[in-house]
Amino acid sequence: MLVLKFGGTSVGSADSLKLVQKIVGKRSDSDKQVVVVSALGGVTNNLVSCAGLAATGNEAYQEILKEIETRHIELCNKLIPVSQRSNTITQVKFLLNDLEDICRGVFLIQELSPRSSDNILSFGERLSSIIISDYFKSSGLDTKLLDPRQLIKTDAQFGNAVVDIDQTFSNLQSELKEPADVSVCPGFLASSNIDNHTTTLGRGGSDYTAALIAAAVQADLLEIWTDVSGMMTANPKLVPLARPITHLSYEEAMELSHFGAKVIYPPTIQPVLDKGIPVLIKNTFADGDEGTMISDNGDLNGHWVKGISCIEDVALCTLSGSGMVAVPNFSHRLFSALSRVGVNVIMITQASSEHTITVGISHKDAERARKSIESEFENEIRIRKVNPLAVEKDLSIIAMVGRRMRQQVGVSANLFDTLSHNGINVKAIAQGSTELNISVVVDKKHLSKSLNSLHESFFLSDLRKFNLFMIGVGNVGKAFLEQIESQQKFLNEAFKISLNVCGLANSRKMLFSEEPIDLNTWSDQIEKEGLPMTQESFTEKMIEMNLRNSIFIDCTASNDIPNLYEQILTNSISVVTPNKVACSSDFDHYLGLKKTATKYQAKFLFETNVGAGLPVISTVGDLLKSGDRIYKIQAVLSGTLNFLFNTYDGTQKFSDVVKQAKAEGYTEPDPRIDLSGVDVMRKILILARESGYKMELSDVDSDPFVPEECMNTDSIEEFYDKLDEFDHVFKELYNKAQSEGKRIKFVASLENRKAKAGLETFGPDHPFYELQGKDNIVLFETMRYPDQPLVIKGAGAGAAVTASGIFADVMRITSA
């Protein structure tokens, strides 16, 4: 025999009931079935409202009764053939008249007793079951309507009656000894074994009815049909990538349900758990989906973490004080105080020192709990043996569930590592010795971020999402966005990584979206939909969005935006930047940013500060981490200046070569910045700092090669004119080098704790001699490379290579 239970959404309309009939009809030839049905979706709530209005003398209860009547009569008209409809409608109206009489009595005396409430609430299932039973009969199914009030016996605790298991099982076994093909039974209802008055089984009552029947007749399977395809790895409303769990043990199912997975209500499946009867959760609206099978051996299949559940609105109450240590009855008094005022404890955690004990409760109970606990410990608080109760609100509990977690090392470490990398602080933790459940408390504002981060971490088959926010969409920024677009499919398939651009800004407008911005139309979007841009508002919005795995990219040369890095890193948002301002600023500020990144589990990466896309900074780090010592760095670090001196041959004006470099995108908008040599000074300073030296920009010696008169001009055009005026200076430099068989390079070097930058000439025997175009080259003389230096060489300028360096830093963060 099979027992099937259909909830309110499954029986809520004519269309959904046709699906129910199809599901039941497919089994009718092979299996005897008991079909337990709930009230039509929303009707129980209507009945609660109706009873409440009647009890307060409000005649509006009559309007609700009319709505209930209209809905049920319309359902009859849609489902029952005309030839059989009158009998069904007669039964429905008879029940509705009874309901009206009871509500009228409540209205007249303006009193709603628990017994009357149970009677009123019972009409939802009684009405739906009559219609469903007659609909099944009309479709040709051998159907019998059962009255659970004659079968399920309880005490007289109206509203949440306790079942007499022995008598109930005996009644059910007798009734179902020779059942019809389909037995339809209203859920939720029972009757008192004292006076036969109608009782109800409380929350999850229809599930409980089905479980009692399944246990009594030793059914092969209990099927619970609802509007979701089984229990999910997480709440799909909060975690879009959540997926159904195919197998669960009873214990896992109850743990997930206790912490917010509302497909089943834990106490209701206890009867089938005792009998070892499997429970299958299925979707009425997608009956081809596999669903979730709950059984004794459900933990043998699938991942060792089965699901991540949550309770959204929680408060923590912490009792602490030296007077608690080694005093046996403190816990007893605490829980007694909570029990007296009806406060349910969701979670408990206590330090081994016994100095504190913390309980998690529903936020709505917080004030009631505080008053009761402080009243209980009033004397201890007065004499300062116990501190006043600390209550923290706006929290959520997250529970990771899986019976096989006990066999897996590092589950808790992974949990805390994932949360810390996203800047999420754990307020409290609880874990039983069975290791079936690990629960943590976090700020409610971080709930979605926490759930999604943990889901990505523990269910690796899904894409791991990283959310990018970028200021600066010039040449380098555009190239970076193009590279992301071209590589997205490869990253999805090969690395299970999705890079989602969620924020963009130029100097005028900024655009945000929690869904990925379309990288083919972003330019139009930012113009049409963008908000006015300010650095502060961009940062505030990015932090407010609170997306997991967030990365901020500063793709500008701004002197101001680096001032935001501290705030961004403090919010556990990683920073990637080709902007050299922060790392070449005051040493304490540079070091402070690195410490902040470490403290808040973020990354501060700036590979493109030196050598564009060349792995220069990372190489310095690798050398030092492996125990090497850097004795000397000698480098050509300006692709712009290298281009100038490789192109200039003394036959054309030096200013024309500068103009050519600017036209080809090798210089800053103001080429004086490049020709000043300050950019190279900053780069060697950054390499010195990354090599372990405390050094300021003023410590870098510089030998400028452009006459001061050229640099001190008011406009770029005037600068070009002055270059022409002093063209002989550059020609003399070129001719002198040529006469010696050498070539000019602008070189930065670090040796003996001293850094400098300036023009030098090199003959054919030096690696710098053959350096072409805009290439950079870096030579490292180290303890392990004393005779033949380690050489890094390649393009050191250009939008595409710089963008690739930024891309590489982003990928380092994704694999951290």
Side-chain angles (χ1 to χ4, degrees):
M1 179 177 287
L2 302 178
V3 179
L4 291 73
K5 179 262 176 177
F6 291 91
T9 53
S10 298
V11 299
S13 68
D15 289 339
S16 62
L17 277 168
K18 288 175 183 178
L19 296 174
V20 171
Q21 189 278 332
K22 183 180 176 183
I23 291 166
V24 173
K26 283 192 289 190
R27 329 277 192 80
S28 60
D29 292 336
S30 57
D31 294 299
K32 299 291 186 181
Q33 301 173 80
V34 179
V35 177
V36 178
V37 296
S38 297
L40 306 189
V43 167
T44 300
N45 289 337
N46 288 342
L47 290 169
V48 171
S49 299
C50 185
L53 290 170
T56 59
N58 190 331
E59 292 186 348
Y61 81 90
Q62 296 175 353
E63 296 301 319
I64 297 177
L65 287 178
K66 288 179 183 177
E67 291 176 15
I68 293 172
E69 178 179 3
T70 299
R71 187 171 175 191
H72 285 85
I73 297 300
E74 285 181 352
L75 192 61
C76 290
N77 292 333
K78 290 179 180 179
L79 291 176
I80 313 297
V82 175
S83 60
Q84 303 168 43
R85 188 179 301 162
S86 60
N87 180 57
T88 307
I89 291 177
T90 298
Q91 293 181 75
V92 168
K93 287 195 171 183
F94 180 79
L95 277 180
L96 289 167
N97 289 338
D98 282 352
L99 174 60
E100 186 176 5
D101 289 343
I102 296 168
C103 289
R104 178 68 177 168
V106 171
F107 173 78
L108 290 173
I109 65 172
Q110 294 190 22
E111 181 182 335
L112 181 64
S113 68
R115 192 175 87 178
S116 297
S117 178
D118 270 8
N119 203 354
I120 292 172
L121 295 183
S122 73
F123 279 86
E125 278 75 10
R126 291 164 67 187
L127 286 165
S128 67
S129 61
I130 287 173
I131 298 171
I132 293 168
S133 176
D134 285 359
Y135 172 49
F136 284 178
K137 290 175 184 176
S138 71
S139 65
L141 294 174
D142 174 29
T143 305
K144 179 180 179 180
L145 178 61
L146 305 180
D147 185 349
R149 294 172 299 176
Q150 298 175 7
L151 304 172
I152 302 176
K153 292 298 180 177
T154 71
D155 62 12
Q157 188 177 323
F158 298 100
N160 193 19
V162 177
V163 173
D164 182 332
I165 296 293
D166 291 339
Q167 186 178 351
T168 296
F169 278 18
S170 177
N171 293 342
L172 288 168
Q173 288 161 359
S174 296
E175 175 66 33
L176 296 170
K177 194 171 185 179
E178 295 182 6
D181 290 345
V182 179
S183 300
V184 175
C185 181
F188 187 53
L189 315 182
S191 67
S192 166
N193 55 13
I194 300 171
D195 51 18
N196 291 324
H197 283 298
T198 299
T199 57
T200 61
L201 302 179
R203 177 183 168 189
S206 292
D207 286 354
Y208 195 26
T209 300
L212 287 168
I213 295 171
V217 300
Q218 201 64 48
D220 299 314
L221 181 67
L222 168 60
E223 296 181 4
I224 296 178
W225 291 81
T226 180
D227 57 356
V228 293
S229 296
M231 299 186 74
M232 309 289 283
T233 50
N235 183 344
K237 293 179 181 178
L238 296 173
V239 182
L241 293 176
R243 57 178 184 265
I245 307 168
T246 56
H247 295 85
L248 284 172
S249 68
Y250 293 116
E251 292 86 352
E252 289 169 336
M254 286 197 286
E255 286 288 332
L256 286 170
S257 298
H258 175 70
F259 283 95
K262 301 189 183 339
V263 177
I264 58 172
Y265 180 52
T268 63
I269 65 166
Q270 190 65 43
V272 290
L273 187 156
D274 293 339
K275 297 282 186 176
I277 297 170
V279 179
L280 179 61
I281 312 294
K282 291 279 284 182
N283 189 342
T284 304
F285 306 94
D287 67 331
D289 290 354
E290 186 175 358
T292 300
M293 179 67 77
I294 304 170
S295 63
D296 273 332
N297 59 357
D299 61 313
L300 300 179
N301 298 284
H303 200 271
W304 34 272
V305 174
K306 288 297 185 67
I308 304 170
S309 196
C310 67
I311 300 176
E312 294 194 28
D313 295 300
V314 171
L316 284 183
C317 298
T318 300
L319 191 65
S320 63
S322 59
M324 295 171 55
V325 178
V327 179
N329 68 335
F330 259 88
S331 297
H332 169 73
R333 292 174 60 193
L334 172 64
F335 293 116
S336 295
L338 293 171
S339 177
R340 281 196 298 272
V341 290
V343 174
N344 180 50
V345 175
I346 303 170
M347 178 179 138
I348 307 164
T349 181
Q350 183 176 19
S352 59
S353 65
E354 302 183 53
H355 186 266
T356 63
I357 182 169
T358 299
V359 295
I361 62 175
S362 173
H363 74 107
K364 69 180 187 299
D365 296 331
E367 188 57 27
R368 194 161 75 251
R370 184 188 64 77
K371 289 179 179 178
S372 182
I373 293 171
E374 291 191 343
S375 174
E376 173 67 33
F377 294 97
E378 180 179 5
N379 184 56
E380 287 85 352
I381 293 172
R382 182 175 53 81
I383 63 176
R384 302 175 69 98
K385 280 191 173 183
V386 172
N387 301 319
L389 187 73
V391 179
E392 192 170 1
K393 300 180 181 179
D394 297 319
L395 305 173
S396 296
I397 293 178
I398 295 172
M400 286 203 322
V401 174
R403 200 157 73 175
R404 291 170 59 206
M405 288 195 301
R406 72 189 77 175
Q407 302 165 7
Q408 182 67 36
V409 175
V411 177
S412 295
N414 192 1
L415 183 154
F416 289 115
D417 186 62
T418 299
L419 293 179
S420 66
H421 273 87
N422 282 279
I424 300 162
N425 184 41
V426 173
K427 304 283 187 177
I429 177 172
Q431 180 177 11
S433 59
T434 62
E435 297 185 54
L436 176 65
N437 174 332
I438 303 173
S439 299
V440 295
V441 180
V442 301
D443 282 325
K444 185 180 177 182
K445 66 181 180 181
H446 292 315
L447 178 61
S448 177
K449 186 179 184 181
S450 301
L451 290 171
N452 282 278
S453 300
L454 291 171
H455 195 272
E456 284 183 353
S457 181
F458 285 96
F459 299 94
L460 296 176
S461 58
D462 291 320
L463 290 176
R464 294 174 61 217
K465 292 183 178 180
F466 289 82
N467 300 295
L468 311 185
F469 299 83
M470 184 168 75
I471 297 179
V473 288
N475 291 336
V476 174
K478 287 178 183 176
F480 176 63
L481 294 176
E482 289 169 1
Q483 289 174 12
I484 292 178
E485 172 64 18
S486 66
Q487 284 295 100
Q488 193 72 274
K489 183 178 179 182
F490 172 73
L491 294 176
N492 292 172
E493 294 174 353
F495 297 100
K496 301 296 182 184
I497 287 172
S498 177
L499 299 180
N500 299 336
V501 178
C502 296
L504 287 173
N506 55 29
S507 59
R508 296 174 296 103
K509 291 186 175 183
M510 58 184 186
L511 176 69
F512 292 94
S513 173
E514 292 202 6
E515 297 300 317
I517 294 170
D518 188 335
L519 297 185
N520 293 310
T521 61
W522 65 267
S523 182
D524 291 336
Q525 278 185 269
I526 203 169
E527 292 303 320
K528 294 177 182 177
E529 304 169 26
L531 303 171
M533 165 62 181
T534 67
Q535 297 168 15
E536 293 75 15
S537 58
F538 185 96
T539 306
E540 288 171 5
K541 179 63 177 176
M542 175 175 60
I543 293 170
E544 178 190 322
M545 288 174 72
N546 199 26
L547 298 180
R548 67 193 184 282
N549 302 330
S550 291
I551 302 172
F552 170 71
I553 301 164
D554 174 13
C555 222
T556 73
S558 166
N559 290 317
D560 298 324
I561 292 177
N563 294 328
L564 303 173
Y565 293 176
E566 180 81 21
Q567 180 186 5
I568 293 169
L569 291 168
T570 300
N571 283 274
S572 298
I573 298 173
S574 294
V575 173
V576 171
T577 180
N579 188 329
K580 290 177 280 293
V581 171
C583 291
S584 59
S585 63
D586 178 79
F587 180 83
D588 290 337
H589 178 65
Y590 152 83
L591 190 61
L593 289 175
K594 301 192 81 170
K595 289 181 176 179
T596 299
T598 301
K599 179 178 179 180
Y600 291 97
Q601 297 287 314
K603 298 294 181 185
F604 177 40
L605 301 182
F606 42 89
E607 181 68 74
T608 47
N609 275 200
V610 179
L614 296 177
V616 178
I617 291 176
S618 57
T619 297
V620 171
D622 291 341
L623 288 171
L624 296 178
K625 289 173 189 174
S626 66
D628 205 348
R629 295 176 62 187
I630 298 173
Y631 296 140
K632 180 179 179 181
I633 299 175
Q634 191 177 27
V636 175
L637 295 173
S638 172
T640 302
L641 294 178
N642 197 45
F643 175 84
L644 293 178
F645 288 111
N646 281 334
T647 304
Y648 181 66
D649 61 4
T651 63
Q652 75 271 62
K653 291 189 293 185
F654 190 74
S655 64
D656 290 337
V657 180
V658 175
K659 291 175 184 177
Q660 180 186 347
K662 185 174 186 294
E664 295 186 21
Y666 298 147
T667 74
E668 297 290 341
D670 184 347
R672 286 173 293 186
I673 296 173
D674 298 278
L675 271 69
S676 69
V678 171
D679 188 61
V680 175
M681 293 169 65
R682 285 175 171 166
K683 290 177 180 179
I684 194 63
L685 172 66
I686 292 168
L687 286 181
R689 288 175 170 179
E690 289 296 294
S691 299
Y693 299 114
K694 182 177 180 179
M695 191 176 289
E696 303 290 354
L697 188 61
S698 58
D699 296 327
V700 180
D701 293 333
S702 176
D703 183 15
F705 68 92
V706 178
E708 188 175 344
E709 293 87 345
C710 298
M711 300 302 293
N712 294 332
T713 49
D714 296 327
S715 68
I716 297 175
E717 287 306 316
E718 186 182 350
F719 170 65
Y720 288 144
D721 291 340
K722 281 292 182 182
L723 286 180
D724 290 344
E725 184 178 330
F726 287 87
D727 192 63
H728 63 278
V729 173
F730 307 106
K731 187 170 292 188
E732 288 172 5
L733 288 171
Y734 175 80
N735 290 336
K736 184 174 185 299
Q738 284 293 105
S739 67
E740 297 173 353
K742 297 180 178 180
R743 292 177 179 172
I744 302 172
K745 305 294 176 186
F746 194 88
V747 177
S749 61
L750 174 69
E751 188 175 12
N752 296 325
R753 297 179 176 269
K754 293 184 179 180
K756 64 178 182 177
L759 288 184
E760 296 184 37
T761 58
F762 298 91
D765 58 337
H766 197 280
F768 290 179
Y769 182 83
E770 295 294 343
L771 195 64
Q772 300 297 315
K774 59 183 184 297
D775 284 359
N776 280 190
I777 187 169
V778 184
L779 309 182
F780 292 100
E781 290 184 17
T782 76
M783 180 176 69
R784 294 175 185 152
Y785 294 88
D787 302 319
Q788 189 70 23
L790 173 64
V791 179
I792 299 174
K793 178 181 176 183
V801 292
T802 304
S804 71
I806 296 170
F807 206 151
D809 272 349
V810 169
M811 292 307 298
R812 287 186 185 96
I813 293 172
T814 67
S815 58

